[in-house]
Amino acid sequence: MAIQSRVAAVTGANKGIGLAIVRNLALQYPASPFNAGPFLIYLTARSAERGAEAVDTLNNDPQLKQAKVLARDGGDTTIKFRELDISQAKSIQEFSAFLKSEHPDGIDIVINNAGIAMQGFDANVVRETIQTNYYGTLEATQDLLPLIRDGGRLVNVSSMAGKLNKYSDEIRNAFLHAAKTDVNASTILMEKFKQAVADGKEKAAGFPSAAYAVSKAGETAFTKAIAMEEEKRNRGVLVNACCPGYVKTDMTRGGGAKTPDQGAQTPVMLALQDIGGRTGGFWQSEREIEW
């Protein structure tokens, strides 16, 4: 097995922002401070068929060909597909075990982009949304973070939808407290929301009637808490959450002001560029903003 100098994994990467993230990692890697020779990117998705198609699309991408960034065109980057469904704990564990056996020295970058945005609002939509966006991303973060080498990066693609301006003061303060304490505190908030929705009382409990928004508030909160814990290990691993902006993808059903490539800029910057050692931030439009 050839040793790869740099290894990255991107979840939910067969289309939309995830695909654009992989594309822009390949384009920006050569001129980035992370450049250290060969670069292997694992493009992950739930469907093996769609994942293989995505890799094929990138291997034949005119801009990547022209830039000669892929190994097949003389560059440093190789893109490989691996199956991963973040809503299934077993799938995350299998992916983590694969990375551990394939790269015993560790990997460098994880970008957790996978997520769902369902239509409608009821207890079932809330349960499924939180299972994937919150618990799935949390498990992927906790399983993959220990595999990241010193000086590496973990980026969680959250959303402005998860900003804290839609909550009662009590819930807002509980989220801010969770971000400063530990993951359990944000998990308690997610469970509280699920129960409130099941009881038809989420508004009275201080939450908006919005499954995606609340799942993303939870994701930002636990990312901040994990960044704080990780910082104590003195490994120089930077952990940040970001919003790609309102991007025209299947998820926004064709709405959106940004192209997927524009949406990919902030997560790719947090993965590859010099961000002054900042960790535990919430970023949008390539800068840290208030959550």
Side-chain angles (χ1 to χ4, degrees):
M1 181 188 76
I3 289 176
Q4 296 289 339
S5 292
R6 295 288 190 195
V7 182
V10 183
T11 72
N14 63 293
K15 62 179 182 179
I17 294 166
L19 186 64
I21 286 171
V22 175
R23 194 171 170 274
N24 284 277
L25 284 172
L27 283 169
Q28 294 181 31
Y29 175 74
S32 78
F34 252 79
N35 187 342
F39 186 31
L40 172 59
I41 305 173
Y42 287 107
L43 178 159
T44 78
R46 286 179 297 193
S47 153
E49 191 185 351
R50 287 199 294 268
E53 275 172 21
V55 172
D56 203 42
T57 301
L58 292 171
N59 281 337
N60 294 294
D61 182 293
Q63 198 181 351
L64 295 185
K65 280 201 168 309
Q66 195 184 348
K68 293 189 166 47
V69 290
L70 297 180
R72 52 174 38 211
D73 302 316
D76 284 324
T77 301
T78 305
I79 301 166
K80 289 184 178 175
F81 169 72
R82 287 298 297 184
E83 211 168 309
L84 173 63
D85 179 352
I86 68 155
S87 70
Q88 306 295 323
K90 186 168 178 282
S91 180
I92 299 169
Q93 287 154 11
E94 283 170 358
F95 181 59
S96 174
F98 162 79
L99 289 175
K100 209 177 284 185
S101 67
E102 199 73 8
H103 307 285
D105 296 338
I107 64 173
D108 302 281
I109 295 164
V110 171
I111 301 180
N112 282 314
N113 167 71
I116 57 170
M118 296 170 73
Q119 295 273 37
F121 182 81
D122 59 29
N124 185 46
V125 166
V126 166
R127 198 171 52 248
E128 276 193 55
T129 303
I130 293 206
Q131 181 56 40
T132 299
N133 294 0
Y134 180 80
Y135 286 107
T137 308
L138 175 58
E139 172 129 9
T141 300
Q142 289 176 324
D143 284 16
L144 301 177
L145 183 57
L147 308 184
I148 297 177
R149 288 188 270 230
D150 291 8
R153 308 281 176 91
L154 185 136
V155 182
N156 284 336
V157 179
S158 188
S159 174
M160 284 294 282
K163 278 195 78 150
L164 296 182
N165 51 7
K166 314 185 235 328
Y167 298 84
S168 68
D169 286 349
E170 184 196 346
I171 298 293
R172 181 173 181 273
N173 289 332
F175 271 115
L176 291 170
H177 174 72
K180 294 191 182 81
T181 44
D182 60 31
V183 166
N184 292 341
S186 44
T187 298
I188 288 166
L189 278 166
M190 293 299 103
E191 291 303 313
K192 187 173 179 176
F193 174 59
K194 278 186 353 195
Q195 189 57 54
V197 174
D199 297 342
K201 293 180 178 164
E202 73 280 354
K203 286 269 197 335
F207 292 95
S209 303
Y212 181 78
V214 177
S215 73
K216 290 297 187 176
E219 184 180 329
T220 301
F222 84 62
T223 303
K224 285 175 171 284
I226 285 174
M228 205 174 58
E229 287 166 22
E230 179 56 42
E231 208 171 356
K232 291 175 191 156
R233 297 188 185 103
N234 290 320
R235 302 193 313 129
V237 176
L238 307 183
V239 177
N240 288 283
C242 68
C243 173
Y246 190 34
V247 178
K248 205 177 175 71
T249 62
D250 286 358
M251 193 182 257
T252 57
R253 300 178 181 84
K258 287 183 167 186
T259 65
D261 277 330
Q262 288 168 330
Q265 294 313 309
T266 299
V268 170
M269 179 195 81
L270 293 173
L272 286 182
Q273 303 303 335
D274 178 359
I275 56 169
R278 283 187 287 177
T279 191
F282 179 57
W283 300 67
Q284 189 185 26
S285 302
E286 291 84 75
R287 61 193 178 87
E288 203 172 342
I289 60 164
E290 194 184 335
W291 173 44

